[in-house]
Every structure is written in C-alpha cells, then in structure tokens.
Short mmCIF file of all heavy atoms in Angstrom, two decimals:
data_model
loop_
_atom_site.label_atom_id
_atom_site.label_comp_id
_atom_site.label_asym_id
_atom_site.label_seq_id
_atom_site.Cartn_x
_atom_site.Cartn_y
_atom_site.Cartn_z
N MET S 6 -2.71 1.42 6.38
CA MET S 6 -2.22 0.69 7.54
C MET S 6 -3.33 -0.06 8.27
O MET S 6 -3.09 -1.08 8.92
CB MET S 6 -1.52 1.65 8.51
CG MET S 6 -0.13 2.07 8.10
SD MET S 6 1.05 0.71 8.16
CE MET S 6 1.27 0.41 6.40
N GLY S 7 -4.56 0.46 8.16
CA GLY S 7 -5.68 -0.25 8.78
C GLY S 7 -5.86 -1.63 8.19
O GLY S 7 -5.98 -2.63 8.91
N LEU S 8 -5.87 -1.69 6.85
CA LEU S 8 -5.98 -2.99 6.17
C LEU S 8 -4.75 -3.85 6.42
O LEU S 8 -4.87 -5.06 6.65
CB LEU S 8 -6.18 -2.77 4.67
CG LEU S 8 -7.49 -2.13 4.23
CD1 LEU S 8 -7.51 -1.95 2.71
CD2 LEU S 8 -8.70 -2.95 4.68
N PHE S 9 -3.58 -3.22 6.37
CA PHE S 9 -2.35 -4.00 6.53
C PHE S 9 -2.27 -4.64 7.92
O PHE S 9 -2.01 -5.84 8.04
CB PHE S 9 -1.13 -3.11 6.30
CG PHE S 9 0.17 -3.85 6.40
CD1 PHE S 9 0.63 -4.61 5.33
CD2 PHE S 9 0.95 -3.77 7.54
CE1 PHE S 9 1.83 -5.31 5.42
CE2 PHE S 9 2.15 -4.46 7.64
CZ PHE S 9 2.60 -5.22 6.57
N LYS S 10 -2.52 -3.86 8.95
CA LYS S 10 -2.42 -4.38 10.32
C LYS S 10 -3.51 -5.40 10.63
O LYS S 10 -3.33 -6.26 11.49
CB LYS S 10 -2.49 -3.21 11.31
CG LYS S 10 -1.24 -2.34 11.35
CD LYS S 10 -0.06 -3.05 11.99
CE LYS S 10 1.10 -2.11 12.24
NZ LYS S 10 2.24 -2.76 12.94
N ALA S 11 -4.63 -5.29 9.90
CA ALA S 11 -5.71 -6.27 10.10
C ALA S 11 -5.49 -7.54 9.29
O ALA S 11 -6.29 -8.48 9.38
CB ALA S 11 -7.05 -5.63 9.70
N GLY S 12 -4.43 -7.56 8.50
CA GLY S 12 -4.14 -8.74 7.70
C GLY S 12 -4.99 -8.88 6.45
O GLY S 12 -5.00 -9.95 5.83
N LYS S 13 -5.66 -7.80 6.06
CA LYS S 13 -6.52 -7.86 4.87
C LYS S 13 -5.69 -7.47 3.65
O LYS S 13 -5.89 -6.44 3.01
CB LYS S 13 -7.71 -6.93 5.05
CG LYS S 13 -8.61 -7.34 6.22
CD LYS S 13 -9.81 -6.41 6.37
CE LYS S 13 -10.70 -6.86 7.52
NZ LYS S 13 -11.89 -5.98 7.70
N LEU S 14 -4.76 -8.35 3.32
CA LEU S 14 -3.75 -8.03 2.32
C LEU S 14 -4.31 -8.04 0.90
O LEU S 14 -3.85 -7.29 0.04
CB LEU S 14 -2.57 -8.99 2.44
CG LEU S 14 -1.91 -9.04 3.83
CD1 LEU S 14 -0.67 -9.92 3.80
CD2 LEU S 14 -1.57 -7.64 4.33
N ASP S 15 -5.29 -8.90 0.64
CA ASP S 15 -5.92 -8.90 -0.69
C ASP S 15 -6.65 -7.60 -0.93
O ASP S 15 -6.57 -7.02 -2.03
CB ASP S 15 -6.88 -10.08 -0.83
CG ASP S 15 -6.16 -11.43 -0.92
OD1 ASP S 15 -4.95 -11.42 -1.23
OD2 ASP S 15 -6.80 -12.46 -0.67
N MET S 16 -7.38 -7.13 0.07
CA MET S 16 -8.08 -5.85 -0.05
C MET S 16 -7.08 -4.70 -0.24
O MET S 16 -7.30 -3.77 -1.02
CB MET S 16 -8.95 -5.60 1.17
CG MET S 16 -10.17 -6.49 1.27
SD MET S 16 -11.14 -6.14 2.77
CE MET S 16 -11.67 -4.44 2.41
N LEU S 17 -5.97 -4.77 0.49
CA LEU S 17 -4.94 -3.75 0.39
C LEU S 17 -4.35 -3.71 -1.02
O LEU S 17 -4.19 -2.63 -1.61
CB LEU S 17 -3.84 -4.04 1.41
CG LEU S 17 -2.64 -3.10 1.43
CD1 LEU S 17 -3.07 -1.68 1.72
CD2 LEU S 17 -1.62 -3.57 2.46
N PHE S 18 -4.06 -4.87 -1.55
CA PHE S 18 -3.52 -4.95 -2.91
C PHE S 18 -4.52 -4.40 -3.92
O PHE S 18 -4.14 -3.61 -4.80
CB PHE S 18 -3.19 -6.41 -3.24
CG PHE S 18 -2.81 -6.64 -4.67
CD1 PHE S 18 -1.56 -6.27 -5.14
CD2 PHE S 18 -3.72 -7.21 -5.55
CE1 PHE S 18 -1.22 -6.48 -6.48
CE2 PHE S 18 -3.39 -7.42 -6.88
CZ PHE S 18 -2.12 -7.06 -7.35
N ASP S 19 -5.77 -4.78 -3.77
CA ASP S 19 -6.80 -4.30 -4.70
C ASP S 19 -6.94 -2.77 -4.63
O ASP S 19 -7.19 -2.12 -5.65
CB ASP S 19 -8.15 -4.96 -4.39
CG ASP S 19 -8.18 -6.44 -4.75
OD1 ASP S 19 -7.29 -6.89 -5.49
OD2 ASP S 19 -9.09 -7.14 -4.26
N GLU S 20 -6.80 -2.21 -3.43
CA GLU S 20 -6.89 -0.76 -3.28
C GLU S 20 -5.75 -0.06 -4.02
O GLU S 20 -5.97 0.93 -4.73
CB GLU S 20 -6.86 -0.39 -1.80
CG GLU S 20 -6.92 1.11 -1.55
CD GLU S 20 -7.08 1.47 -0.09
OE1 GLU S 20 -8.13 1.12 0.50
OE2 GLU S 20 -6.16 2.10 0.46
N LEU S 21 -4.56 -0.59 -3.88
CA LEU S 21 -3.42 -0.01 -4.59
C LEU S 21 -3.60 -0.08 -6.10
O LEU S 21 -3.33 0.89 -6.82
CB LEU S 21 -2.13 -0.73 -4.19
CG LEU S 21 -1.60 -0.47 -2.79
CD1 LEU S 21 -0.42 -1.39 -2.50
CD2 LEU S 21 -1.18 0.98 -2.62
N VAL S 22 -4.06 -1.22 -6.58
CA VAL S 22 -4.27 -1.39 -8.01
C VAL S 22 -5.32 -0.40 -8.52
O VAL S 22 -5.18 0.19 -9.60
CB VAL S 22 -4.69 -2.84 -8.32
CG1 VAL S 22 -5.15 -2.97 -9.78
CG2 VAL S 22 -3.52 -3.79 -8.05
N ALA S 23 -6.38 -0.21 -7.74
CA ALA S 23 -7.45 0.71 -8.14
C ALA S 23 -6.95 2.16 -8.21
O ALA S 23 -7.30 2.91 -9.13
CB ALA S 23 -8.62 0.60 -7.17
N ILE S 24 -6.13 2.55 -7.26
CA ILE S 24 -5.57 3.91 -7.27
C ILE S 24 -4.57 4.06 -8.42
O ILE S 24 -4.59 5.04 -9.15
CB ILE S 24 -4.90 4.22 -5.92
CG1 ILE S 24 -5.96 4.29 -4.82
CG2 ILE S 24 -4.12 5.53 -5.99
CD1 ILE S 24 -5.38 4.37 -3.42
N ARG S 25 -3.72 3.06 -8.59
CA ARG S 25 -2.73 3.08 -9.68
C ARG S 25 -3.42 3.26 -11.04
O ARG S 25 -2.91 3.98 -11.91
CB ARG S 25 -1.93 1.78 -9.64
CG ARG S 25 -1.06 1.44 -10.85
CD ARG S 25 0.23 2.23 -10.86
NE ARG S 25 0.09 3.53 -11.47
CZ ARG S 25 1.09 4.39 -11.62
NH1 ARG S 25 2.29 4.10 -11.15
NH2 ARG S 25 0.89 5.55 -12.19
N ALA S 26 -4.57 2.62 -11.21
CA ALA S 26 -5.28 2.68 -12.49
C ALA S 26 -5.76 4.09 -12.83
O ALA S 26 -5.97 4.41 -14.00
CB ALA S 26 -6.46 1.71 -12.48
N GLN S 27 -5.94 4.92 -11.80
CA GLN S 27 -6.42 6.29 -12.02
C GLN S 27 -5.27 7.26 -12.32
O GLN S 27 -5.52 8.43 -12.59
CB GLN S 27 -7.18 6.78 -10.78
CG GLN S 27 -8.40 5.97 -10.43
CD GLN S 27 -9.43 5.97 -11.55
OE1 GLN S 27 -9.70 7.00 -12.17
NE2 GLN S 27 -9.99 4.80 -11.81
N LEU S 28 -4.04 6.78 -12.26
CA LEU S 28 -2.88 7.67 -12.41
C LEU S 28 -1.95 7.18 -13.53
O LEU S 28 -0.74 7.01 -13.32
CB LEU S 28 -2.11 7.73 -11.09
CG LEU S 28 -2.87 8.35 -9.91
CD1 LEU S 28 -2.18 8.01 -8.59
CD2 LEU S 28 -2.98 9.86 -10.09
N PRO S 29 -2.48 6.96 -14.71
CA PRO S 29 -1.66 6.39 -15.79
C PRO S 29 -0.54 7.29 -16.24
O PRO S 29 0.46 6.82 -16.81
CB PRO S 29 -2.67 6.15 -16.91
CG PRO S 29 -3.74 7.16 -16.67
CD PRO S 29 -3.87 7.24 -15.18
N LEU S 30 -0.67 8.59 -16.00
CA LEU S 30 0.32 9.55 -16.49
C LEU S 30 1.30 9.99 -15.40
O LEU S 30 2.18 10.82 -15.67
CB LEU S 30 -0.38 10.78 -17.07
CG LEU S 30 -1.42 10.52 -18.16
CD1 LEU S 30 -2.08 11.81 -18.59
CD2 LEU S 30 -0.78 9.81 -19.36
N LYS S 31 1.16 9.45 -14.20
CA LYS S 31 1.96 9.92 -13.06
C LYS S 31 2.76 8.77 -12.46
O LYS S 31 2.34 7.61 -12.49
CB LYS S 31 1.06 10.50 -11.96
CG LYS S 31 -0.04 11.43 -12.45
CD LYS S 31 0.46 12.65 -13.19
CE LYS S 31 -0.70 13.54 -13.63
NZ LYS S 31 -0.24 14.65 -14.49
N LYS S 32 3.91 9.12 -11.88
CA LYS S 32 4.62 8.16 -11.06
C LYS S 32 3.92 8.06 -9.71
O LYS S 32 3.43 9.07 -9.18
CB LYS S 32 6.08 8.59 -10.85
CG LYS S 32 6.97 8.37 -12.06
CD LYS S 32 8.42 8.69 -11.73
CE LYS S 32 9.32 8.43 -12.93
NZ LYS S 32 10.73 8.76 -12.63
N LEU S 33 3.89 6.86 -9.17
CA LEU S 33 3.21 6.63 -7.89
C LEU S 33 4.23 6.21 -6.85
O LEU S 33 4.95 5.22 -7.01
CB LEU S 33 2.16 5.54 -8.04
CG LEU S 33 1.40 5.16 -6.77
CD1 LEU S 33 0.55 6.33 -6.28
CD2 LEU S 33 0.53 3.92 -7.01
N LYS S 34 4.30 7.01 -5.75
CA LYS S 34 5.11 6.63 -4.61
C LYS S 34 4.18 6.14 -3.51
O LYS S 34 3.21 6.83 -3.16
CB LYS S 34 5.93 7.82 -4.11
CG LYS S 34 6.91 8.42 -5.11
CD LYS S 34 7.94 9.27 -4.34
CE LYS S 34 8.67 10.24 -5.23
NZ LYS S 34 7.88 11.47 -5.50
N VAL S 35 4.48 4.98 -2.94
CA VAL S 35 3.67 4.43 -1.86
C VAL S 35 4.45 4.52 -0.56
O VAL S 35 5.56 3.99 -0.44
CB VAL S 35 3.27 2.97 -2.15
CG1 VAL S 35 2.49 2.39 -0.97
CG2 VAL S 35 2.42 2.89 -3.43
N ILE S 36 3.86 5.21 0.41
CA ILE S 36 4.51 5.46 1.70
C ILE S 36 4.15 4.32 2.67
O ILE S 36 2.97 4.03 2.89
CB ILE S 36 4.04 6.80 2.29
CG1 ILE S 36 4.27 7.93 1.29
CG2 ILE S 36 4.76 7.09 3.60
CD1 ILE S 36 3.57 9.23 1.66
N LEU S 37 5.16 3.72 3.27
CA LEU S 37 4.93 2.57 4.16
C LEU S 37 4.71 2.97 5.61
O LEU S 37 4.17 2.19 6.38
CB LEU S 37 6.11 1.60 4.09
CG LEU S 37 6.51 1.08 2.72
CD1 LEU S 37 7.56 -0.01 2.88
CD2 LEU S 37 5.31 0.57 1.93
N GLU S 38 5.18 4.15 6.00
CA GLU S 38 5.16 4.58 7.41
C GLU S 38 5.92 3.55 8.25
O GLU S 38 5.39 2.90 9.16
CB GLU S 38 3.73 4.76 7.91
CG GLU S 38 3.59 5.74 9.06
CD GLU S 38 3.92 7.19 8.66
OE1 GLU S 38 5.06 7.46 8.28
OE2 GLU S 38 3.01 8.05 8.75
N THR S 39 7.21 3.43 7.95
CA THR S 39 8.03 2.37 8.54
C THR S 39 8.17 2.46 10.05
O THR S 39 8.47 1.45 10.71
CB THR S 39 9.44 2.38 7.91
OG1 THR S 39 10.03 3.68 8.05
CG2 THR S 39 9.38 2.02 6.45
N ALA S 40 7.96 3.64 10.63
CA ALA S 40 8.12 3.80 12.07
C ALA S 40 7.11 2.97 12.86
O ALA S 40 7.33 2.69 14.05
CB ALA S 40 8.00 5.27 12.47
N VAL S 41 6.02 2.58 12.23
CA VAL S 41 5.00 1.78 12.94
C VAL S 41 5.03 0.32 12.49
O VAL S 41 4.13 -0.46 12.82
CB VAL S 41 3.59 2.36 12.74
CG1 VAL S 41 3.52 3.79 13.23
CG2 VAL S 41 3.14 2.29 11.28
N LEU S 42 6.09 -0.08 11.78
CA LEU S 42 6.18 -1.44 11.26
C LEU S 42 7.40 -2.17 11.81
O LEU S 42 8.45 -1.56 12.04
CB LEU S 42 6.27 -1.43 9.73
CG LEU S 42 5.11 -0.80 8.96
CD1 LEU S 42 5.42 -0.82 7.47
CD2 LEU S 42 3.80 -1.52 9.25
N SER S 43 7.27 -3.47 11.98
CA SER S 43 8.42 -4.30 12.33
C SER S 43 9.25 -4.57 11.08
O SER S 43 8.83 -4.25 9.95
CB SER S 43 7.94 -5.63 12.91
OG SER S 43 7.28 -6.40 11.89
N LYS S 44 10.41 -5.14 11.27
CA LYS S 44 11.27 -5.47 10.13
C LYS S 44 10.56 -6.40 9.15
O LYS S 44 10.60 -6.18 7.92
CB LYS S 44 12.55 -6.13 10.64
CG LYS S 44 13.57 -6.43 9.55
CD LYS S 44 14.85 -6.99 10.15
CE LYS S 44 15.88 -7.30 9.06
NZ LYS S 44 17.15 -7.85 9.62
N LYS S 45 9.88 -7.41 9.67
CA LYS S 45 9.14 -8.33 8.81
C LYS S 45 8.00 -7.62 8.10
O LYS S 45 7.75 -7.87 6.90
CB LYS S 45 8.59 -9.49 9.66
CG LYS S 45 7.83 -10.52 8.85
CD LYS S 45 7.35 -11.66 9.72
CE LYS S 45 6.57 -12.70 8.90
NZ LYS S 45 6.09 -13.83 9.76
N GLU S 46 7.33 -6.72 8.80
CA GLU S 46 6.23 -5.97 8.19
C GLU S 46 6.72 -5.03 7.10
O GLU S 46 6.04 -4.84 6.08
CB GLU S 46 5.46 -5.20 9.26
CG GLU S 46 4.60 -6.07 10.15
CD GLU S 46 3.96 -5.27 11.28
OE1 GLU S 46 4.57 -4.28 11.75
OE2 GLU S 46 2.85 -5.66 11.71
N ILE S 47 7.89 -4.43 7.29
CA ILE S 47 8.45 -3.57 6.25
C ILE S 47 8.68 -4.36 4.97
O ILE S 47 8.36 -3.90 3.87
CB ILE S 47 9.76 -2.91 6.74
CG1 ILE S 47 9.46 -1.88 7.83
CG2 ILE S 47 10.49 -2.22 5.57
CD1 ILE S 47 10.71 -1.32 8.51
#
C-alpha cells in the first residue's frame, strides 16, 4: 500500500512479479486491503 498510495505503480508491479517468481509451485493470493481504498483504487 505504501507504493500504491505513492503512485509508484511500476515498482509495485515489479515487486509482485519478483515475489510471484519465487512461488512457482504455489497459488498466490494478493490482498488489496479494500477498506483503505476508494472504488477507483480498488
């Protein structure tokens, strides 16, 4: 959320990709924490 709220979306995407790459054998659930997001942000 720190990267997301700061608008650093490229860094955020790269972070997700890097984590995903370490979990080739697992399903990955990404939590948005919707209570702190607007409709557009969700």
Side-chain angles (χ1 to χ4, degrees):
M6 283 292 107
L8 293 178
F9 182 80
K10 288 289 190 177
K13 297 181 179 180
L14 304 186
D15 289 341
M16 290 179 64
L17 178 60
F18 172 76
D19 289 345
E20 179 172 296
L21 288 173
V22 170
I24 293 170
R25 167 78 274 181
Q27 299 300 317
L28 296 164
L30 305 177
K31 316 300 181 187
K32 285 186 179 179
L33 178 65
K34 300 198 198 80
V35 177
I36 305 168
L37 305 188
E38 206 67 297
T39 55
V41 302
L42 300 177
S43 67
K44 184 176 180 180
K45 181 178 180 180
E46 287 174 329
I47 291 172

